Amino acid sequence: MLKVDGLTVAVGGKIILRDINFEINAGETHILFGPNGSGKSTLLGTLMGFERFEIVDGHIYFQGEEITHLPVHERAQRGIGLMFQRPPTIKGLPMHHMIKICARGRKVSEDLTKKLKFDKFMDRDVNYGFSGGEMKRSEILQLLAQDPDLILLDEPESGVDIENIALIGDSINMLLERNVSPEDVKPMYRQRRERKKAGLIITHTGHILNYVHADFGHVIFEGRMSCHGNPRELFDCIQRMGYGECVRCAI
Amino acid sequence: MTKRNFKPQDFTTEAPKHAYLKDLGSLDDLDRKRLLQIGVDINTQDRIGTFLQIDHSVVHSGSQQKGLEVMGTAKALEKYDWLQNYLWRAVPRDLDEYTKYVAAHVQQGYFIRVMPGVKATYPLQACLYLDKDGLAQCIHNIVIVEEGAELNIINGCATSHKVHTGMHLGISEFYVKKNAKLTFTMIHNWAEEMQVRPRSATVVEEGGVFLSNFVCMHQVDMLQMFPVITLNGNGAVARSHSVLVAPPNTHMDTGTRVFLRAPQAKAEIISRAVTTGGEVISRGHLIGTEAQVKAHLECHGLLLSPRGLIHAVPELEAHVAGAEMSHEAAVGKIAPEEIEYLMARGLDEETATSTIVRGFLNVRIEGLPQELQQEIDKAIEASQESFM
Ligand SMILES: Nc1ncnc2c1ncn2[C@@H]1O[C@H](COP(=O)(O)OP(=O)(O)O)[C@@H](O)[C@H]1O
Ligand SMILES: [Mg+2]
């Protein structure tokens, strides 16, 4: 679904990401680890196509098509969705209108809004005065309305209090079609196999791993993807040794 | 941009007389469309009252509610001797060359009065229309909302398609009595070379509320006004919102001044200005002369073109300790992050930009009844269609 090939990215003339290579297949969820400032958000922003990230070298392919230089909205229309880490406030634009924009004519069920405990926020301006957790719920609701095939999540658990983290985890599974349910008419293995949605999740704390069972993990260290593997294993290693261990690989 | 400062004497005072219309349906299509853009509905059934003046002639006036009177000012002055006491009381006749000019000439305009305790919650529409090219239109409006009464006015000012230039000189004196409430929404839509000089003042007594909305989103050569609100009684409240869009070759110098002269008086001034090449001077002046008054001023500007100017001039004057006053001003272009955010949700750059601009101009007035807000939204939308 997504293929990143030899991607090198600069911000303000300074190289931030170097020679990034990885691939995400339909149905897979990948986790991106890395210390602060290592370039994780830069990678997601580049995949979304934001202007401040200059692609110095390399290619991005989505569903077999090269999108390296496609504008942001065309990527969104093709099925890439991003949860912003710090989304801006849009004054005077009520949430219910924003959800309509995301849904592009499709109907969004009110149950969804209720499930995310967001029905009381629908008349508020987008992100205006939202707490950390409310901001995340707003982002997830927008993505659920947008219904992208590749979901990019930038630290979905940051700023979320303990009571709400399960709700966030749950909703992310819904986004990624990972809430496999025994009550579904299809057997659970088929639900898993027929899953199409793919995800790339940045996590700093690793909390999200307790809710979302991801398939692969990658570590970005000083702008390079230095390590790949089982996400739990990578996280355990990072917790025990810190990112200092990455230095040994990076050299 | 240096503009010539026109005088009333640069324009003619002569205008043809227009016949009284029983039914506004007889207006031609171009005029109807124009009126609709400023919130005036020719289907007067949906309004509790209507006033329409073309050039110097009152062509329609009427009220559909008991206790609500609507007529031309000249007629009202003949009918009521006491009205002299309200004339030039809020606006001094020698305030400036424009008020002096109006005082020296024939005065028409509307007289609207709601009797004590009458709640006229549905909107009344008043329209001042200019049809004669090159005319100096002199207006004198008086609105009296008696004790405990309530009134909502949608006031549209516009020029017809025949007008290229002219001057609109509008004196408005509003009196909001004890525990009364007046909501006044004014929408302007002028010819490109128009000179617009409204001079208005509102006096609010104890417990009274004055909500004012001003919308002007079209090219006008020069619009200059600085309406004054005086909160004279305990707990009087004023809220003033304005939404301005200045296309190229437009100069708008507007603002609101509020005197807080009684304990517990409260005022809020909010303005949103957008330039697509023109100039906006957005003023706000709060003067607190009593302790326990509260006032806030908010002035936001958005520059959508590399040319153009937004000059925010917020002023606060506290004459006693205990007056609580604050202001907030911000001027700049749209944050690129906001555009990218909407683009990431699938909107192209142009649509993302216009969505943000619409949001920016979308100010909600606290305390407006919902039906009225909807009417105002409709009018604003109709007005917006032509610039976006
Ligand atoms: N506007 C900018 N100009 C220059 N450097 C920047 C800019 N924005 C971010 N950076 C740098 O890019 C690097 C990667 O940032 P980021 O991708 O946000 O890291 P992460 O998300 O992994 O914490 C950091 O070193 C940061 O300082
Ligand atoms: Mg980051």
Side-chain angles (χ1 to χ4, degrees):
Chain A
M1 176 172 288
L2 177 77
K3 186 164 188 276
V4 174
D5 183 17
L7 194 66
T8 295
V9 178
V11 177
K14 187 178 153 219
I15 304 272
I16 303 291
L17 292 173
R18 263 177 222 279
D19 192 24
I20 304 287
N21 296 284
F22 69 101
E23 201 168 331
I24 301 178
N25 294 309
E28 291 176 0
T29 290
H30 293 220
I31 303 284
L32 203 53
F33 299 103
N36 270 330
S38 58
K40 304 181 298 295
S41 296
T42 303
L43 178 58
L44 259 54
T46 307
L47 295 176
M48 199 66 237
F50 296 149
E51 210 170 283
R52 64 186 173 283
F53 305 118
E54 314 147 41
I55 298 185
V56 178
D57 201 7
H59 306 271
I60 306 168
Y61 302 91
F62 181 65
Q63 313 277 35
E65 176 194 12
E66 171 148 23
I67 60 160
T68 317
H69 298 291
L70 223 52
V72 176
H73 69 283
E74 291 191 27
R75 298 181 197 215
Q77 286 165 8
R78 277 168 173 69
I80 302 180
L82 170 68
M83 175 201 248
F84 286 65
Q85 192 179 0
R86 284 177 216 88
T89 299
I90 314 271
K91 284 276 205 69
L93 180 67
M95 272 304 293
H96 60 79
H97 188 164
M98 183 65 161
I99 296 301
K100 265 197 204 135
I101 289 174
C102 296
R104 271 170 295 147
R106 282 187 308 265
K107 198 160 160 37
V108 179
S109 119
E110 272 178 37
D111 296 346
L112 219 55
T113 322
K114 288 220 179 75
K115 187 178 152 39
L116 277 157
K117 297 198 271 176
F118 223 71
D119 34 330
K120 287 194 188 67
F121 293 82
M122 296 307 274
D123 287 329
R124 299 249 299 254
D125 290 352
V126 176
N127 300 323
Y128 183 68
F130 287 7
S131 72
E134 287 158 3
M135 204 96 95
K136 298 296 172 192
R137 265 144 60 205
S138 146
E139 288 291 296
I140 291 176
L141 186 62
Q142 289 176 48
L143 286 175
L144 283 165
Q146 197 179 343
D147 194 28
D149 296 320
L150 173 66
I151 295 131
L152 310 171
L153 304 172
D154 197 343
E155 300 200 22
E157 77 275 46
S158 73
V160 180
D161 49 38
I162 309 286
E163 297 101 84
N164 280 310
I165 187 123
L167 174 61
I168 298 284
D170 231 29
S171 331
I172 290 175
N173 281 323
M174 187 150 72
L175 258 176
L176 293 167
E177 294 178 340
R178 281 183 172 252
N179 44 355
V180 175
S181 150
E183 281 127 56
D184 201 295
V185 283
K186 286 179 200 163
M188 290 169 80
Y189 91 93
R190 253 189 70 195
Q191 289 179 46
R192 276 198 297 272
R193 221 187 42 198
E194 288 177 7
R195 169 164 67 215
K196 284 281 168 329
K197 304 280 183 193
L200 180 58
I201 306 177
I202 295 179
T203 180
H204 188 61
T205 62
H207 291 324
I208 205 70
L209 297 179
N210 298 329
Y211 300 92
V212 180
H213 304 297
D215 306 293
F216 298 98
H218 312 272
V219 181
I220 293 196
F221 188 75
E222 291 180 354
R224 290 176 197 272
M225 237 182 208
S226 53
C227 193
H228 310 268
N230 176 293
R232 277 243 78 106
E233 217 170 63
L234 285 177
F235 185 62
D236 285 347
C237 174
I238 292 161
Q239 274 194 313
R240 257 183 308 132
M241 323 287 286
Y243 285 106
E245 177 62 16
C246 299
V247 182
R248 300 210 299 186
C249 297
I251 305 166
Chain B
M1 204 188 317
T2 38
K3 293 257 187 191
R4 178 172 158 202
N5 200 7
F6 285 89
K7 308 259 168 261
Q9 291 78 6
D10 296 325
F11 301 91
T12 176
T13 48
E14 300 299 315
K17 278 214 174 351
H18 300 272
Y20 191 87
L21 303 172
K22 260 195 103 70
D23 177 7
L24 297 188
S26 58
L27 285 166
D28 78 30
D29 276 355
L30 283 169
D31 289 329
R32 282 189 205 195
K33 224 192 198 155
R34 200 79 181 149
L35 294 186
L36 209 58
Q37 285 178 345
I38 49 168
V40 178
D41 194 342
I42 55 142
N43 185 0
T44 54
Q45 305 309 311
D46 297 339
R47 302 285 193 245
I48 55 159
T50 295
F51 178 88
L52 173 61
Q53 174 172 339
I54 301 180
D55 296 331
H56 292 148
S57 318
V58 175
V59 301
H60 190 90
S61 77
S63 152
Q64 304 191 40
Q65 175 150 358
K66 221 175 144 243
L68 172 68
E69 239 184 325
V70 182
M71 66 182 89
T73 304
K75 191 171 162 192
L77 283 167
E78 278 171 30
K79 190 171 174 189
Y80 299 119
D81 287 339
W82 53 261
L83 191 54
Q84 289 294 342
N85 301 331
Y86 289 86
L87 210 63
W88 302 113
R89 193 169 98 193
V91 177
R93 80 169 71 216
D94 56 358
L95 180 73
D96 60 23
E97 57 182 311
Y98 305 104
T99 55
K100 283 180 199 157
Y101 185 85
V102 174
H105 287 78
V106 187
Q107 294 163 35
Q108 203 39 281
Y110 53 74
F111 164 75
I112 300 169
R113 181 183 182 212
V114 213
M115 299 309 278
V118 173
K119 309 258 182 217
T121 44
Y122 276 92
L124 175 154
Q125 57 185 2
C127 175
L128 304 162
Y129 200 55
L130 223 121
D131 188 56
K132 159 92 177 132
D133 192 29
L135 180 70
Q137 187 186 38
C138 295
I139 305 277
H140 200 143
N141 301 320
I142 297 175
V143 176
I144 302 169
V145 187
E146 298 286 0
E147 269 193 44
E150 194 175 324
L151 178 64
N152 295 304
I153 300 176
I154 294 180
N155 174 107
C157 295
T159 43
S160 82
H161 63 283
K162 291 178 212 150
V163 175
H164 300 286
T165 184
M167 186 176 266
H168 170 89
L169 299 139
I171 313 295
S172 296
E173 302 186 272
F174 298 161
Y175 301 93
V176 181
K177 301 280 181 76
K178 193 173 166 185
N179 298 326
K181 182 176 176 183
L182 173 62
T183 304
F184 184 76
T185 300
M186 178 160 73
I187 303 171
H188 281 191
N189 193 343
W190 300 110
E192 293 163 5
E193 298 297 322
M194 274 296 290
Q195 304 301 317
V196 184
R197 305 285 188 278
R199 296 291 179 265
S200 39
T202 306
V203 180
V204 187
E205 293 179 11
E206 187 180 333
V209 176
F210 177 55
L211 307 179
S212 147
N213 283 304
F214 175 52
V215 179
C216 185
M217 306 204 198
H218 295 274
Q219 186 177 338
V220 52
D221 187 70
M222 197 189 280
L223 163 73
Q224 192 273 319
M225 62 184 213
F226 204 173
V228 177
I229 303 168
T230 307
L231 301 177
N232 261 349
N234 256 346
V237 174
R239 290 208 173 90
S240 153
H241 289 212
S242 52
V243 173
L244 307 166
V245 177
N249 302 314
T250 295
H251 179 88
M252 295 175 177
D253 182 344
T254 81
T256 305
R257 176 177 281 143
V258 185
F259 290 96
L260 297 104
R261 286 194 178 143
Q264 263 88 39
K266 262 206 281 198
E268 180 185 64
I269 302 172
I270 293 181
S271 86
R272 297 274 186 276
V274 168
T275 170
T276 58
E279 299 178 346
V280 180
I281 303 175
S282 178
R283 302 176 191 275
H285 189 184
L286 296 166
I287 305 115
T289 48
E290 276 286 335
Q292 303 164 340
V293 299
K294 233 180 159 166
H296 183 68
L297 177 56
E298 187 186 305
C299 188
H300 288 192
L302 204 54
L303 290 103
L304 295 183
S305 99
R307 290 178 55 244
L309 167 81
I310 293 177
H311 181 174
V313 193
E315 289 181 80
L316 303 179
E317 268 181 57
H319 290 256
V320 285
E324 200 182 314
M325 303 166 90
S326 57
H327 81 73
E328 179 189 331
V331 171
K333 61 176 179 125
I334 299 182
E337 302 83 69
E338 292 181 26
I339 296 175
E340 277 187 338
Y341 189 50
L342 293 181
M343 286 178 78
R345 301 295 184 238
L347 295 186
D348 61 51
E349 189 171 351
E350 202 178 313
T351 316
T353 305
S354 67
T355 303
I356 292 164
V357 174
R358 270 170 204 274
F360 176 81
L361 296 177
N362 175 10
V363 276
R364 315 255 107 197
I365 293 212
E366 226 180 288
L368 269 197
Q370 209 186 342
E371 318 89 70
L372 185 65
Q373 180 73 58
Q374 281 166 1
E375 284 300 311
I376 293 168
D377 288 349
K378 257 202 284 186
I380 290 180
E381 227 162 83
S383 204
Q384 249 174 10
E385 256 165 40
S386 36
F387 93 86
M388 292 210 281

